[in-house]
Amino acid sequence: MSQTASAMVPAQSGTRARLMAAFGGSYFSSVLIGTVAVLLLLGLWEAALRYFEVPVWLAPKPSDFLVRLYTDRALIAGHAFWTSLTIVEGFTLGVLVAIPLALAIVSVGALERGLYPVIVFLNIMPKTVIGPILIIWFGIGPLVAALIVFLMSFFPVLVDSMSGFRLVDRRLFYISRSMGANPWQTFWKVRLPAAMPHIFSGMKIGVVKAVEGVIIAEFIASNKGLGFMIVRASAFMDMTLMFSGLVAAAIVALMFNGAMSIIGQWLMPWSRH
């Protein structure tokens, strides 16, 4: 019995180590450190406002808007759902356009010289200026919000995808051809996996920009979503609801960023080692 028990201990510790390696022990430690930092910031915020007796209408205490986040959870969750749906639509469109376009630009020199400067020019245009133009063309609604999210998330995915496709060792193409692989097999088995770390790096940046873009879009071109809720609360000077909306938007951004990390680890198991 003692020998069996002693044999089980290393096996259990080995299983635990494999689980931590699979799910990223450093990821959980970074989440823990980030949580402690946020709690410390909120505590300092709460103490400062109580000490200086700042009125709620000027700057609410964390205890005020966190309680409001719970009491109005149905309202906030409903707006967060529409915000998340718009993010999914605009971000998915951005990824589906950016990755093939990045491959085309890298593969065809004329496209990089002629098309890429145009894309850069469109990207530097303020989205608050593009928004009213889109409203004139398409009216106020979820389509305009999704298009603004697309414009915000498209460029980071494009740039990082181009970097990933460029960094593939050209000798791998010769090796795959010598083994009888056709262009599609070479792309699917060699070029895309090699570029995926850069693509997901751009997607992580793009999904955060998507959250920023959807709030801007809902400020000017929507009748639902967290951005719309924040604007409506500001009209009534409801500071606690405004800050609750900001916290909800931050939670949505963290959820999408975490989802991108999980999807990246699932599609790129080699990146964990």
Side-chain angles (χ1 to χ4, degrees):
M1 290 294 293
S2 60
Q3 292 179 351
T4 304
S6 61
M8 289 176 63
V9 171
Q12 291 177 353
S13 61
T15 302
R16 189 181 299 110
R18 286 193 296 270
L19 288 173
M20 292 297 292
F23 291 99
S26 60
Y27 174 76
F28 287 110
S29 63
S30 64
V31 170
L32 179 61
I33 293 172
T35 302
V36 172
V38 170
L39 292 176
L40 180 61
L41 175 62
L42 292 177
L44 292 174
W45 184 349
E46 180 85 17
L49 294 186
R50 287 184 181 276
Y51 179 78
F52 292 105
E53 299 181 350
V54 179
V56 176
W57 59 265
L58 182 60
K61 297 184 290 294
S63 58
D64 294 327
F65 60 76
L66 291 178
V67 168
R68 189 69 180 275
L69 187 67
Y70 174 76
T71 57
D72 288 357
R73 59 188 181 277
L75 172 67
I76 296 172
H79 286 292
F81 169 78
W82 289 110
T83 295
S84 301
L85 184 62
T86 304
I87 292 172
V88 171
E89 293 171 348
F91 180 70
T92 301
L93 180 62
V95 170
L96 292 178
V97 174
I99 295 177
L101 184 59
L103 179 62
I105 290 175
V106 170
S107 302
V108 181
L111 284 178
E112 184 167 8
R113 292 189 297 270
L115 185 60
Y116 187 68
V118 177
I119 296 174
V120 173
F121 173 76
L122 293 175
N123 180 69
I124 63 177
M125 293 180 64
K127 304 307 179 289
T128 52
V129 175
I130 298 176
I133 299 174
L134 295 176
I135 292 174
I136 294 174
W137 289 348
F138 303 106
I140 294 177
L143 176 60
V144 173
L147 288 175
I148 293 177
V149 171
F150 161 75
L151 293 174
M152 291 287 289
S153 59
F154 166 77
F155 192 71
V157 180
L158 176 72
V159 172
D160 277 25
S161 298
M162 289 174 59
S163 299
F165 287 130
R166 279 200 187 99
L167 291 177
V168 181
D169 192 342
R170 306 295 299 182
R171 291 174 294 184
L172 295 175
F173 299 153
Y174 303 136
I175 294 174
S176 63
R177 290 175 187 173
S178 67
M179 298 177 67
N182 57 41
W184 169 251
Q185 291 173 327
T186 300
F187 170 78
W188 187 251
K189 297 294 185 179
V190 177
R191 196 167 196 181
L192 182 60
M196 279 178 64
H198 291 81
I199 293 174
F200 269 89
S201 177
M203 289 172 68
K204 289 180 181 179
I205 299 173
V207 77
V208 175
K209 299 294 288 183
V211 178
E212 177 186 344
V214 75
I215 298 300
I216 295 173
E218 290 170 350
F219 281 165
I220 61 177
S222 183
N223 53 10
K224 51 191 173 183
L226 291 174
F228 170 76
M229 187 191 73
I230 292 171
V231 170
R232 189 174 180 181
S234 68
F236 295 95
M237 294 295 294
D238 191 347
M239 293 293 288
T240 56
L241 184 58
M242 290 176 62
F243 275 78
S244 297
L246 293 174
V247 172
I251 293 173
V252 169
L254 289 173
M255 290 175 61
F256 274 98
N257 190 264
M260 292 306 306
S261 298
I262 293 172
I263 294 172
Q265 290 183 0
W266 177 58
L267 292 178
M268 298 180 296
W270 62 87
S271 65
R272 297 195 297 258
H273 303 290

